[in-house]
mmCIF file of all heavy atoms in Angstrom:
data_model
loop_
_atom_site.group_PDB
_atom_site.id
_atom_site.type_symbol
_atom_site.label_atom_id
_atom_site.label_comp_id
_atom_site.label_asym_id
_atom_site.label_seq_id
_atom_site.Cartn_x
_atom_site.Cartn_y
_atom_site.Cartn_z
ATOM 1 N N ASP R 46 -19.283 4.628 -56.415
ATOM 2 C CA ASP R 46 -20.157 5.730 -56.002
ATOM 3 C C ASP R 46 -21.573 5.203 -55.782
ATOM 4 O O ASP R 46 -22.034 4.310 -56.501
ATOM 5 C CB ASP R 46 -20.210 6.821 -57.084
ATOM 6 C CG ASP R 46 -18.962 7.695 -57.115
ATOM 7 O OD1 ASP R 46 -18.048 7.465 -56.297
ATOM 8 O OD2 ASP R 46 -18.903 8.598 -57.973
ATOM 9 N N LEU R 47 -22.261 5.809 -54.835
ATOM 10 C CA LEU R 47 -23.644 5.425 -54.543
ATOM 11 C C LEU R 47 -24.602 6.490 -55.065
ATOM 12 O O LEU R 47 -24.246 7.664 -55.129
ATOM 13 C CB LEU R 47 -23.847 5.265 -53.030
ATOM 14 C CG LEU R 47 -23.087 4.108 -52.382
ATOM 15 C CD1 LEU R 47 -23.263 4.135 -50.853
ATOM 16 C CD2 LEU R 47 -23.563 2.767 -52.939
ATOM 17 N N ALA R 48 -25.803 6.042 -55.413
ATOM 18 C CA ALA R 48 -26.795 6.994 -55.951
ATOM 19 C C ALA R 48 -28.188 6.662 -55.445
ATOM 20 O O ALA R 48 -28.538 5.482 -55.301
ATOM 21 C CB ALA R 48 -26.779 6.959 -57.479
ATOM 22 N N PHE R 49 -28.958 7.706 -55.191
ATOM 23 C CA PHE R 49 -30.384 7.519 -54.976
ATOM 24 C C PHE R 49 -31.028 7.215 -56.317
ATOM 25 O O PHE R 49 -30.743 7.878 -57.316
ATOM 26 C CB PHE R 49 -31.023 8.778 -54.380
ATOM 27 C CG PHE R 49 -30.596 9.073 -52.967
ATOM 28 C CD1 PHE R 49 -30.120 10.330 -52.624
ATOM 29 C CD2 PHE R 49 -30.680 8.101 -51.981
ATOM 30 C CE1 PHE R 49 -29.738 10.617 -51.323
ATOM 31 C CE2 PHE R 49 -30.300 8.368 -50.671
ATOM 32 C CZ PHE R 49 -29.823 9.632 -50.337
ATOM 33 N N PHE R 50 -31.881 6.222 -56.323
ATOM 34 C CA PHE R 50 -32.637 5.847 -57.521
ATOM 35 C C PHE R 50 -33.991 6.536 -57.420
ATOM 36 O O PHE R 50 -34.813 6.200 -56.571
ATOM 37 C CB PHE R 50 -32.782 4.314 -57.554
ATOM 38 C CG PHE R 50 -33.332 3.774 -58.846
ATOM 39 C CD1 PHE R 50 -32.492 3.129 -59.745
ATOM 40 C CD2 PHE R 50 -34.682 3.890 -59.163
ATOM 41 C CE1 PHE R 50 -32.994 2.602 -60.941
ATOM 42 C CE2 PHE R 50 -35.184 3.372 -60.358
ATOM 43 C CZ PHE R 50 -34.342 2.730 -61.246
ATOM 44 N N TYR R 51 -34.209 7.516 -58.283
ATOM 45 C CA TYR R 51 -35.375 8.399 -58.197
ATOM 46 C C TYR R 51 -36.384 8.087 -59.300
ATOM 47 O O TYR R 51 -36.007 7.995 -60.467
ATOM 48 C CB TYR R 51 -34.892 9.843 -58.313
ATOM 49 C CG TYR R 51 -35.963 10.906 -58.246
ATOM 50 C CD1 TYR R 51 -36.305 11.499 -57.031
ATOM 51 C CD2 TYR R 51 -36.612 11.338 -59.400
ATOM 52 C CE1 TYR R 51 -37.278 12.489 -56.962
ATOM 53 C CE2 TYR R 51 -37.589 12.324 -59.342
ATOM 54 C CZ TYR R 51 -37.915 12.892 -58.123
ATOM 55 O OH TYR R 51 -38.878 13.877 -58.063
ATOM 56 N N HIS R 52 -37.624 7.934 -58.892
ATOM 57 C CA HIS R 52 -38.702 7.714 -59.871
ATOM 58 C C HIS R 52 -39.267 9.062 -60.324
ATOM 59 O O HIS R 52 -39.777 9.827 -59.509
ATOM 60 C CB HIS R 52 -39.822 6.870 -59.252
ATOM 61 C CG HIS R 52 -39.498 5.409 -59.160
ATOM 62 N ND1 HIS R 52 -40.348 4.494 -58.555
ATOM 63 C CD2 HIS R 52 -38.432 4.694 -59.603
ATOM 64 C CE1 HIS R 52 -39.810 3.274 -58.633
ATOM 65 N NE2 HIS R 52 -38.646 3.372 -59.252
ATOM 66 N N SER R 53 -39.176 9.342 -61.622
ATOM 67 C CA SER R 53 -39.680 10.617 -62.146
ATOM 68 C C SER R 53 -40.773 10.383 -63.185
ATOM 69 O O SER R 53 -40.955 9.270 -63.681
ATOM 70 C CB SER R 53 -38.540 11.416 -62.771
ATOM 71 O OG SER R 53 -38.106 10.808 -63.967
ATOM 72 N N SER R 54 -41.476 11.460 -63.519
ATOM 73 C CA SER R 54 -42.544 11.403 -64.527
ATOM 74 C C SER R 54 -43.522 10.277 -64.249
ATOM 75 O O SER R 54 -43.804 9.444 -65.116
ATOM 76 C CB SER R 54 -41.947 11.214 -65.929
ATOM 77 O OG SER R 54 -41.266 12.358 -66.327
ATOM 78 N N CYS R 55 -44.024 10.265 -63.025
ATOM 79 C CA CYS R 55 -44.938 9.182 -62.631
ATOM 80 C C CYS R 55 -45.871 9.706 -61.548
ATOM 81 O O CYS R 55 -45.733 10.846 -61.106
ATOM 82 C CB CYS R 55 -44.126 7.992 -62.117
ATOM 83 S SG CYS R 55 -43.085 8.395 -60.691
ATOM 84 N N ALA R 56 -46.791 8.874 -61.137
ATOM 85 C CA ALA R 56 -47.804 9.311 -60.181
ATOM 86 C C ALA R 56 -47.203 9.666 -58.826
ATOM 87 O O ALA R 56 -47.673 10.585 -58.157
ATOM 88 C CB ALA R 56 -48.852 8.220 -60.016
ATOM 89 N N ALA R 57 -46.148 8.939 -58.427
ATOM 90 C CA ALA R 57 -45.551 9.167 -57.111
ATOM 91 C C ALA R 57 -44.052 9.408 -57.233
ATOM 92 O O ALA R 57 -43.248 8.502 -56.983
ATOM 93 C CB ALA R 57 -45.830 7.976 -56.198
ATOM 94 N N PRO R 58 -43.660 10.621 -57.638
ATOM 95 C CA PRO R 58 -42.236 10.889 -57.800
ATOM 96 C C PRO R 58 -41.509 10.922 -56.452
ATOM 97 O O PRO R 58 -42.036 11.438 -55.469
ATOM 98 C CB PRO R 58 -42.205 12.264 -58.467
ATOM 99 C CG PRO R 58 -43.519 12.901 -58.164
ATOM 100 C CD PRO R 58 -44.494 11.781 -57.984
ATOM 101 N N GLY R 59 -40.301 10.351 -56.435
ATOM 102 C CA GLY R 59 -39.511 10.361 -55.209
ATOM 103 C C GLY R 59 -38.403 9.325 -55.263
ATOM 104 O O GLY R 59 -38.253 8.596 -56.249
#
Side-chain angles (χ1 to χ4, degrees):
Chain R
D46 284 0
L47 293 175
F49 291 129
F50 190 106
Y51 180 92
H52 283 176
S53 70
S54 291
C55 59

